[in-house]
Amino acid sequence: MLVPAAFSLRDPQFIQACYIVAAVCFILGLRGLSHPSTARRGNMIAAVGMAIAVIATLLDRDVVGVPLILLGIAIGTAIGVPAARSVRMTAMPQMVALFNGVGGGAAALIAWTEFRDSIDAGGGFALDTEIAVLFSTVVGAVSFWGSIVAFAKLQELISGQPIMIRGQQVVNGVILAAVLGGCVYLAAAGDEQSVFVAILALASVLGVAMVLPIGGADMPVVISMLNAFTGLAAAAAGFALDNTALIVAGTLVGASGTILTRLMSQAMNRSLGNVLFAGFGSAPEGGGAAAVASGDGSFRSTTADDVAIQLAYARRVVVVPGYGMAVAQAQHAVRDLAAELEKRGVDVNYAIHPVAGRMPGHMNVLLAEADVPYDSLKEMDEINPEFPQTDVSLVIGANDVTNPAAKNSPDSPIYGMPILEVDKSSSVIVLKRSMNPGFAGIDNELYSDAKTAMLFGDAKDSIQKVLGEVQAL
Amino acid sequence: MSLLTELTIFVLAVFVGFEVISKVPNTLHTPLMSGTNAIHGIVLVGAILAIAIATGDTLGRVLAVIAVAFGTINVVGGFLVTDRMLEMFKRKPDAKE
């Protein structure tokens, strides 16, 4: 091979070339995710790209403080590896929130370090670097603290219900204005550490204040949005550090988060602004809670053996899983029941609503864990025309995504949201812990429908009982 | 590197990102999120560079080391957890038996 005489691994050009290779790996890795059969290899390609980028950076002749770097890597590995190995699939949303948060936090800390360095050097930033540093600081801090709150909600360390203070939007607006004001001041009047720290603190408060009012059912939107934020913060850090690897990788993540946010909002027929500012699910004085109180409440309760008979003699059954299935860890029991039914010649499919669960694709991961083949998972548009030919829809811990009020009641807070049309099937069985309304706090008129029967109790428990009864038939 | 060059890279990355990610099926959205979490672990690169400019005082060093640790959590945790998930998605021919 022809190697130029002056070639050195520490040559900045060589390092840049490594970054290009890394960027290609990230893009190929993401492209692998376009199909389940190539996804795992894609992830590995992306990981190789990351290794190349990190090693190339370590070759950089400006890099000093290797013991400190190794210390940080050791700490991160000691935390990250056991967490990733031991997390349960049902806890994946909070894990993703946490990982997302630390990425944002790192971006903000890098920006802070840059800022301190520029003060030490005595000279201010060029305007473009200043903007990049401040953007990375603010968005990174919002993402970090927002993700921490999302984590706490999903882990049920704090209530999953929306937490609102009076005039929340005004307060958030004032904080945002103060943050922006501080940024303009720094850009105009020169760098002052105290102003920077104030901006960082206010952005942190903003991150907390933004996510606290958001209810559990809206989590898929928020997690996607925070994902986009972290990506953009990383890209901004790349602008600040003049590093192409960060710009490309951060931008890819920003694009991904943006697409997911849009898909999730569309699946709820709401704008991002509405999710962020409407305090959906809180509306206690609105129609939601009133309807719960005044709902005619006439529902039909059923037993495991009745359900077993209905399922065993059906031709077509559609399972509609929701967050309740995740909470009850019922996915394996569901798979066993479906296998038993299929043995009896029943056609079993799964209907997956895009916002079922607490993050995009949540149900798919759980069912994949339970070895349900992914081609029996049907998306909303695919399965909706099939409900009229379905004998039994088995709704497991899903609520709002099946509520016919989204089509029928213009007054309903979820009016216009695309739903799984289980009410069109011949009969519906709803597995539910109790008659409490779902996260959105909205009465589900499906439950009082004449063809709906309710089976109360822990979802896993109920499914196992039904399975026992089916086997005994 | 000039700002314009960086902006060019940024704009192209936006388009590539949208193009590639819009082809990811709903079924893989959770692995997509955790996979992109791993990819924004690229902040580790930024954090390593930050250590170089943060040798001034203790606070600076502490901040940069935390940033490295955070970035590492992203990288190793993100890729591992994504791999765990994707392993479950591989086609199982005998799953129906």
Side-chain angles (χ1 to χ4, degrees):
Chain A
M1 206 171 91
L2 193 66
V3 178
F7 180 80
S8 151
L9 288 175
R10 293 175 170 265
D11 188 334
Q13 305 253 21
F14 173 72
I15 294 170
Q16 283 302 324
C18 288
Y19 287 161
I20 297 173
V21 175
V24 170
C25 288
F26 295 152
I27 292 165
L28 289 178
L30 288 170
R31 205 176 63 174
L33 281 175
S34 57
H35 196 274
S37 60
T38 55
R40 196 163 179 216
R41 200 180 56 211
N43 186 52
M44 290 189 184
I45 294 173
V48 169
M50 186 62 72
I52 292 173
V54 171
I55 291 169
T57 310
L58 289 171
L59 292 173
D60 193 320
R61 53 169 78 84
D62 289 339
V63 163
V64 291
V66 172
L68 286 179
I69 294 170
L70 294 180
L71 174 68
I73 290 180
I75 296 172
T77 308
I79 298 172
V81 172
R85 284 249 163 88
S86 62
V87 62
R88 303 171 86 156
M89 287 302 144
T90 44
M92 205 47 84
Q94 46 268 54
M95 195 75 209
V96 165
L98 207 56
F99 280 167
N100 189 47
V102 294
L109 289 173
I110 293 166
W112 194 358
T113 309
E114 277 263 292
F115 187 86
R116 289 166 53 90
D117 177 58
S118 104
I119 289 186
D120 288 351
F125 286 119
L127 183 63
D128 57 325
T129 312
E130 177 104 45
I131 292 173
V133 165
L134 290 173
F135 183 90
S136 186
T137 307
V138 172
V139 178
V142 167
S143 177
F144 178 76
W145 288 104
S147 300
I148 297 290
V149 174
F151 168 80
K153 278 178 176 255
L154 291 163
Q155 189 73 24
E156 297 184 344
L157 300 175
I158 57 175
S159 162
Q161 297 292 328
I163 301 170
M164 292 267 269
I165 55 166
R166 200 171 287 277
Q168 177 93 48
Q169 295 168 38
V170 179
V171 173
N172 287 4
V174 169
I175 299 174
L176 182 62
V179 167
L180 293 177
C183 292
V184 171
Y185 175 86
L186 281 184
D191 294 338
E192 234 171 274
Q193 175 101 283
S194 57
V195 179
F196 182 87
V197 172
I199 290 173
L200 191 62
L202 284 171
S204 305
V205 175
L206 187 63
V208 173
M210 228 163 80
V211 178
L212 266 185
I214 292 169
D218 286 344
M219 274 302 159
V221 186
V222 174
I223 293 189
S224 309
M225 186 193 69
L226 292 170
N227 187 232
F229 277 14
T230 301
L232 293 176
F239 276 98
L241 291 164
D242 284 332
N243 185 295
T244 48
L246 269 99
I247 296 177
V248 174
T251 307
L252 291 175
V253 179
S256 163
T258 307
I259 289 180
L260 287 175
T261 310
R262 212 170 52 188
L263 286 176
M264 295 301 115
S265 310
Q266 277 167 0
M268 306 180 87
N269 188 38
R270 294 163 65 208
S271 69
L272 180 59
N274 184 263
V275 173
L276 287 179
F277 303 120
F280 185 60
S282 62
E285 56 275 283
V292 172
S294 69
D296 57 9
S298 61
F299 54 87
R300 189 157 56 88
S301 178
T302 185
T303 56
D305 43 341
D306 273 349
V307 172
I309 291 168
Q310 243 184 306
L311 291 175
Y313 296 109
R315 273 175 302 112
R316 264 185 67 85
V317 171
V318 174
V319 177
V320 182
Y323 186 54
M325 184 185 80
V327 172
Q329 306 261 358
Q331 65 272 28
H332 298 277
V334 170
R335 189 268 328 264
D336 292 342
L337 177 61
E340 180 66 29
L341 291 174
E342 277 171 345
K343 237 186 338 191
R344 296 175 153 266
V346 184
D347 178 28
V348 183
N349 280 299
Y350 298 81
I352 313 291
H353 194 280
V355 295
R358 289 293 175 266
M359 68 180 301
H362 191 183
M363 293 300 123
N364 305 75
V365 169
L366 292 183
L367 292 169
E369 187 198 14
D371 285 344
V372 175
Y374 52 77
D375 36 17
S376 56
L377 309 186
K378 306 281 190 236
E379 290 177 18
M380 184 161 56
D381 297 337
E382 198 183 343
I383 196 89
N384 266 344
E386 296 181 17
F387 276 114
Q389 295 96 47
T390 298
D391 300 311
V392 187
S393 291
L394 187 62
V395 180
I396 306 172
N399 186 356
D400 300 329
V401 298
T402 62
N403 193 343
K407 283 180 302 173
N408 308 335
S409 327
D411 299 338
S412 170
I414 59 167
Y415 183 70
M417 167 172 158
I419 58 160
L420 292 165
E421 295 168 350
V422 293
D423 54 315
K424 295 217 172 115
S425 54
S426 311
S427 67
V428 182
I429 297 164
V430 178
L431 269 66
K432 214 167 156 5
R433 200 174 274 281
S434 70
M435 229 13 229
N436 289 333
F439 253 107
I442 303 156
D443 197 19
N444 193 337
E445 50 187 65
L446 179 69
Y447 302 160
S448 44
D449 192 313
K451 62 189 173 198
T452 304
M454 311 287 298
L455 182 59
F456 292 113
D458 175 75
K460 188 175 173 184
D461 221 41
S462 300
I463 295 282
Q464 280 167 345
K465 273 190 215 149
V466 172
L467 175 61
E469 296 290 343
V470 172
Q471 283 165 337
L473 280 174
Chain B
M1 199 178 311
S2 82
L3 177 63
L4 270 181
T5 314
E6 290 178 354
L7 281 174
T8 310
I9 294 169
F10 171 74
V11 171
L12 291 177
V14 168
F15 280 95
V16 173
F18 273 86
E19 208 47 50
V20 172
I21 309 241
S22 50
K23 296 200 172 61
V24 178
N26 287 359
T27 249
L28 291 177
H29 275 168
T30 296
L32 171 66
M33 293 207 79
S34 74
T36 52
N37 266 347
I39 289 176
H40 69 55
I42 194 72
V43 288
L44 174 57
V45 164
I48 289 172
L49 296 172
I51 284 204
I53 56 173
T55 44
D57 60 350
T58 314
L59 176 62
R61 283 193 206 119
V62 170
L63 294 179
V65 169
I66 296 175
V68 171
F70 277 1
T72 309
I73 292 177
N74 257 197
V75 171
V76 296
F79 282 120
L80 264 182
V81 102
T82 311
D83 188 61
R84 258 186 73 196
M85 265 189 266
L86 291 175
E87 191 186 0
M88 305 182 318
F89 275 97
K90 65 172 188 261
R91 193 176 270 282
K92 300 180 184 75
D94 51 356
K96 288 219 172 193
E97 287 164 20

